[in-house]
Each structure stands twice: as structure tokens, then as C-alpha cells.
Amino acid sequence: MTVIIAFFANVLVAVAKTVAAVVTSSASMVAEAAHSWADAGNEIFLLIADRRGARRKDARHPLGYGRSAFVWSLVAAFGIFTAGSIVSIMHGVQELASDEPVESPVVAYVVLGVAFVLEGTSFLQAFIRSRRLARERGTSTWDYVIETSDTTLRAVFFEDAAALVGLLIAGGAIAVHQITGVAAWDAVGSILVGLLLGVVAVVLIWRNMAFLVGTSASPVLRARAGRALLESADIERVTYLHIEYVGPNRLFIVAEIDLAGDAREHDVARRLREVERRIEAHPVVEAVVLSLSVDDEPSLEFAEAGPVR
């Protein structure tokens, strides 16, 4: 729902900005139009990311299709960089030497104002959801958005935040151009919007690449998972634990455990499978691989820790 709201908001804003760019001949409005069309196109990639990442695991993909969400989100981030950032910066540089005034600036201000309301509505939706999830995990909204494996939520959050800042930059550039009579200020606004989009794109690319390469769970989540294992009546101790993200809010767990009791090999194998199935029943666990610990391996300790991110 967050992506759909952002998509329709961006399409409406993109159309309005395009009309305003034609009417006003403003470089900043051209940059804003490119920004909104890039965002609208990126929402399509994010919708694809959600659908592809939600596919159930099969024989060819035993860990599921979750990482495809990171791939499509990475494509969306490159879209911001190319269609938004580069186009805005190049257009601004080309217009630096222009002395053509902004025509009908009132049109630009009205469109920017309406766009601010629409983008603000979309951002508010993403912010409220992020804050709620952050509170559930006992962390700040900013830390949650940066660290979360929910790549779609992070993309919408950053895109809408950048859109609001970009609107303020564009409006300010046009205002300074009117006050000073120097047309270059409008071009500077276009360049600043492009640089802003570039920063957002780099952050999104960085986070998606981290999850694609393979990001392990935070120490806090690892500690909670370890304690949850030890709470099982079947598990006496844990000597090895690896937790890795294989998709948005999807985990792959590998552990070496010592089962309680001294059952026969056949019974031990059956109990291991039963424990694995119970763990995989958790909504965020994609797959679990358990093996038996060696007697002389030291037990891991999982102390109480802070909030999960």
C-alpha cells in the first residue's frame, strides 16, 4: 500500500511539474519534473520487487526468492541516479549561462505547493509505518529505516523525503532568481536537486548491495534468536549460530546444537527435523539447518541486549 500511494502521488505531481516546466521555462521545474517521473518509474520497480521477493521457495531456490527484491530495488536506485540526478545536474549546468527569466512564477509556486501536499501525504504514510515498526523494536525511526531489510519501505521513505526537500530547493531557487534578477540561481536550484537525488541514490544502492552480498543479522537479533533456541526443551546448548538475510524480513539460520538427553541416532535425526520445522514456522524464517555439536565445543552465551534493528 505504501508503494501504491507513492506511485499515484508521483504520477500526479510529475504531470503537474511537467506542465509548469513548459509554462515557466524554469530549470528548477524541469529538474523537479525529471525527479517525479523518475520516482514514478521507480515505484514500478519496487512493486516488482515486492511481488518477486514474495514468491515461495522451490527446488531451484531453496532459500526463496527474497533476494530478488534487493535486485529490483537496486535497479530502482540506479533509476533515481540516472533519470533524476544526472539529468537534473546536466540541465542545470547547461542553463547556468542562460539569462532567460522564469515566466509566470506564480504557476511554479502553485504547482510546488500542491506537490508538497501530495508528496507530504505519501511521506507521512511511510513515516508513520516506519515509526511504528521502530517503536516495536525499541529503536529510532532513522536507525530502523537505515538498517531494515525492508528495502521497499526504505526506498519510499528516502524518495519522498528527498522530494520534499527538492521542492523547497526549487521554490527557493525561483524566489532568489526573482529577487536578484540573476537567472543562474534557477539553474543552481536544478543542480542542487540533482545532487540531492544523487546522495539518496548512493545510500539506496549501498544498502541494497550490502544485502545482496550477504548481511548477517545484528548482534541484538542474533542474541534474541540464540536465547529463543535455548528456551526450547529439546536444545541443551548452542555452539554455533549464523543468521543471514535472504530477503526483506526473511532469515536463513544455521546452528550447531546439543540436544537434551542421549537418544539413539535415529531418534536424534527425527528430533532435529522436528526442531527445524518448529523454527521454520516462524513468519520471518525462510529456512533452518541444524547439526549436532561436538562435545568439546564451547557453548555460546546470549546475554540480554538492546533493541532489535
Side-chain angles (χ1 to χ4, degrees):
M1 181 58 69
T2 302
V3 179
I4 295 175
I5 291 174
F7 173 74
F8 283 109
N10 281 321
V11 169
L12 291 174
V13 170
V15 172
K17 287 179 180 178
T18 301
V19 173
V22 173
V23 172
T24 63
S25 300
S26 166
S28 293
M29 288 306 302
V30 171
E32 278 299 303
H35 178 183
S36 292
W37 282 117
D39 282 353
N42 290 340
E43 307 306 338
I44 296 176
F45 288 122
L46 294 178
L47 287 171
I48 295 174
D50 281 347
R51 286 183 174 274
R52 294 291 179 88
R55 295 172 62 186
R56 299 180 64 85
K57 59 185 178 182
D58 52 32
R60 295 186 62 187
H61 296 84
L63 296 182
Y65 291 80
R67 282 198 175 101
S68 63
F70 301 135
V71 173
W72 286 100
S73 295
L74 185 64
V75 173
F78 273 111
I80 297 175
F81 187 78
T82 54
S85 179
I86 295 178
V87 170
S88 298
I89 293 174
M90 289 181 60
H91 183 72
V93 171
Q94 292 172 355
E95 293 296 320
L96 277 175
S98 174
D99 57 359
E100 183 179 353
V102 175
E103 301 174 4
S104 304
V106 175
V107 174
Y109 293 135
V110 170
V111 170
L112 291 174
V114 173
F116 196 89
V117 173
L118 293 174
E119 295 282 9
T121 301
S122 177
F123 175 74
L124 185 61
Q125 164 77 13
F127 179 80
I128 290 174
R129 183 183 175 195
S130 299
R131 185 175 62 177
R132 175 175 57 81
L133 294 172
R135 284 179 175 176
E136 291 176 359
R137 289 156 176 77
T139 186
S140 70
T141 302
W142 175 259
D143 286 341
Y144 173 77
V145 172
I146 287 291
E147 299 294 334
T148 181
S149 61
D150 190 342
T151 182
T152 300
L153 178 61
R154 177 171 46 248
V156 173
F157 185 97
F158 273 100
E159 287 178 12
D160 288 344
L164 293 175
V165 175
L167 290 169
L168 294 176
I169 292 174
I174 295 174
V176 174
H177 167 47
Q178 277 190 282
I179 294 170
T180 63
V182 179
W185 283 110
D186 185 34
V188 170
S190 177
I191 295 173
L192 291 177
V193 169
L195 291 175
L196 172 66
L197 294 178
V199 171
V200 170
V202 168
V203 170
L204 296 179
I205 290 170
W206 161 58
R207 293 307 297 152
N208 282 301
M209 287 184 66
F211 282 103
L212 278 173
V213 171
T215 297
S216 61
S218 68
V220 175
L221 178 57
R222 185 174 184 275
R224 290 194 175 185
R227 291 197 302 275
L229 288 173
L230 291 174
E231 288 173 359
S232 172
D234 290 300
I235 299 177
E236 190 170 279
R237 65 192 186 105
V238 178
T239 60
Y240 175 82
L241 178 61
H242 173 76
I243 306 174
E244 183 176 336
Y245 285 100
V246 292
N249 300 315
R250 304 299 294 173
L251 299 174
F252 172 50
I253 301 175
V254 179
E256 291 182 4
I257 63 173
D258 189 4
L259 290 173
D262 191 18
R264 295 176 303 173
E265 181 179 348
H266 173 76
D267 295 331
V268 167
R270 186 180 298 278
R271 288 176 63 189
L272 275 178
R273 295 296 177 268
E274 291 174 353
V275 174
E276 287 177 345
R277 292 191 186 97
R278 287 203 301 270
I279 297 174
E280 288 179 347
H282 194 285
V284 303
V285 177
E286 189 69 52
V288 178
V289 176
L290 299 179
S291 60
L292 295 177
S293 303
V294 178
D295 292 340
D296 59 355
E297 288 181 336
S299 300
L300 298 179
E301 296 183 1
F302 304 101
E304 291 288 340
V308 175
R309 295 182 180 175

